């Protein structure tokens, strides 16, 4: 998968060369290309921001460098163009899976109080938020999106890290996990996990997932229960 990023802080994306995503890039499964918006500014001081019309706090990213960057990066308009912003639709696992099917993404990172609205009208397909909080720029949200989407690219995860059995794949939160040693600081691993009865283990894990989800995420719990009606007593 090809992922292009437009930002005024390209060096922030060096962390993508580390770990699983670094390995995926070396293997050619993932190709992240980062472009500096400042390089496309025609201003004599290479400015990329200005004060907002109408007044108010902070600065707004000017349209010229952004539009020039996006046009240069996606001449054939073949990328899905995404702007990371607090007013976007909140990213969820279903959206991650949909975006992972795209050939190419172009992620636009805004700084300060955001970007000139006309760039969104002219150049952006979709606005996405990574949660209800404000950061100094869209760079960390872009990296969250890259990380989440890359896990669905064929070959990026090993078989032991597959996406099929994890949290949210059944709409529930994860059950508790344990590894060696069998006792740690006086706390033991639940007996059922040591027995090797896989039906019993699956039942225990589902019960744990259901209880944790009911306590922490009643919204997810209600959805699960609606879609998994209890088998009622057989008619006589
Ligand atoms: C304000 C995205 C700030 C307006 C970007 C962009 C949080 C998210 C910014 C704007 C961001 C998020 C840049 N902060 N929740 N900061 O995904 O358009």
């Amino acid at each position: 998968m090809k992922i292009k990023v437009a930002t005024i802080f390209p060096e922030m994306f060096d962390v993508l060369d580390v770990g699983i995503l670094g390995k995926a890039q070396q293997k050619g499964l993932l190709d992240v290309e980062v472009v500096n918006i400042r390089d496309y500014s025609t201003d004599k001081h290479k400015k990329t921001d200005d004060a907002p019309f109408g007044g108010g706090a902070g600065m707004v990213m000017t349209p010229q460098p952004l539009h020039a960057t996006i046009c240069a990066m996606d001449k054939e308009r073949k990328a899905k163009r995404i702007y990371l912003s607090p007013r976007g639709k909140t990213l969820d696992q279903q959206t991650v899976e949909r975006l992972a099917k795209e050939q190419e993404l172009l992620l636009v990172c805004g700084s300060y109080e955001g970007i000139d609205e006309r760039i969104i009208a002219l150049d952006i397909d979709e606005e996405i938020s990574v949660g209800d909080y404000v950061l100094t720029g869209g760079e960390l949200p872009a990296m969250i999106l890259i990380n989440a989407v890359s896990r669905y690219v064929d070959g990026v995860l090993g078989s032991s890290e597959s996406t099929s059995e994890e949290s949210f794949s059944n709409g529930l939160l994860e059950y508790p996990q344990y590894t060696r040693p069998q006792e740690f600081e006086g706390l033991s691993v639940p007996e059922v996990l040591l027995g090797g009865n896989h039906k019993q283990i699956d039942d225990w894990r589902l019960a744990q997932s259901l209880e944790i989800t009911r306590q922490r995420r009643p919204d997810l719990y209600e959805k699960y229960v609606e879609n998994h009606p209890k088998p009622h007593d057989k008619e006589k």
Side-chain angles (χ1 to χ4, degrees), residues 83-86 110 112-114 128-131 133-138 141:
Y83 177 54
L84 287 307
S85 111
Y112 321 110
E113 316 308 311
I128 291 179
S129 166
V130 298
Y133 42 84
V134 178
L135 304 168
T136 56

Side-chain angles (χ1 to χ4, degrees), residues 17 19-30:
D17 297 340
I20 290 175
L21 298 196
K23 181 60 39 115
Q25 290 199 78
Q26 286 174 9
K27 287 189 189 169
L29 302 171
L30 181 67

Side-chain angles (χ1 to χ4, degrees), residues 150-167:
S150 299
R151 298 178 66 255
Y152 285 87
V153 173
D154 248 6
V156 169
L157 294 189
S159 51
S160 71
E161 304 144 326
S162 110
T163 54
S164 61
E165 278 192 46
E166 67 195 358
S167 208

Side-chain angles (χ1 to χ4, degrees), residues 9-174:
F9 297 117
E11 64 282 5
M12 283 185 72
F13 291 83
D14 289 354
V15 296
L16 297 177
D17 297 340
V18 170
I20 290 175
L21 298 196
K23 181 60 39 115
Q25 290 199 78
Q26 286 174 9
K27 287 189 189 169
L29 302 171
L30 181 67
D31 179 9
V32 181
E33 179 191 335
V34 184
V35 170
N36 193 341
I37 295 163
R38 196 174 300 281
D39 293 346
Y40 287 87
S41 175
T42 55
D43 175 79
K44 61 181 168 187
H45 300 112
K46 299 245 165 237
K47 257 176 72 90
T48 59
D49 63 347
D50 207 337
F53 275 122
M59 299 289 267
V60 176
M61 288 181 76
T62 57
Q64 180 277 318
L66 278 164
H67 186 68
T69 305
I70 294 166
C71 290
M73 292 174 80
D74 185 29
K75 293 179 195 69
E76 286 160 46
R77 251 193 179 276
K78 65 181 198 184
K80 168 76 81 176
R81 300 169 171 191
I82 297 169
Y83 177 54
L84 287 307
S85 111
R87 72 173 199 200
K89 188 201 168 240
T90 309
L91 187 64
D92 58 18
Q93 205 65 32
Q94 189 186 320
T95 304
V96 168
E97 291 187 42
R98 172 172 61 81
L99 295 177
K101 295 186 176 96
E102 296 285 338
Q103 287 257 352
E104 188 171 320
L105 302 178
L106 198 174
L107 309 182
V108 177
C109 305
S111 286
Y112 321 110
E113 316 308 311
I115 67 179
D116 189 296
E117 188 69 22
R118 291 165 292 187
I119 292 301
I120 296 165
L122 287 170
D123 296 329
I124 295 298
D125 296 320
E126 208 166 317
E127 266 185 272
I128 291 179
S129 166
V130 298
D132 288 341
Y133 42 84
V134 178
L135 304 168
T136 56
E139 285 78 11
L140 289 169
M143 283 188 261
I144 288 172
L145 194 153
I146 291 168
N147 190 298
V149 164
S150 299
R151 298 178 66 255
Y152 285 87
V153 173
D154 248 6
V156 169
L157 294 189
S159 51
S160 71
E161 304 144 326
S162 110
T163 54
S164 61
E165 278 192 46
E166 67 195 358
S167 208
F168 298 119
S169 63
N170 63 0
L172 295 173
L173 301 182
E174 277 174 357

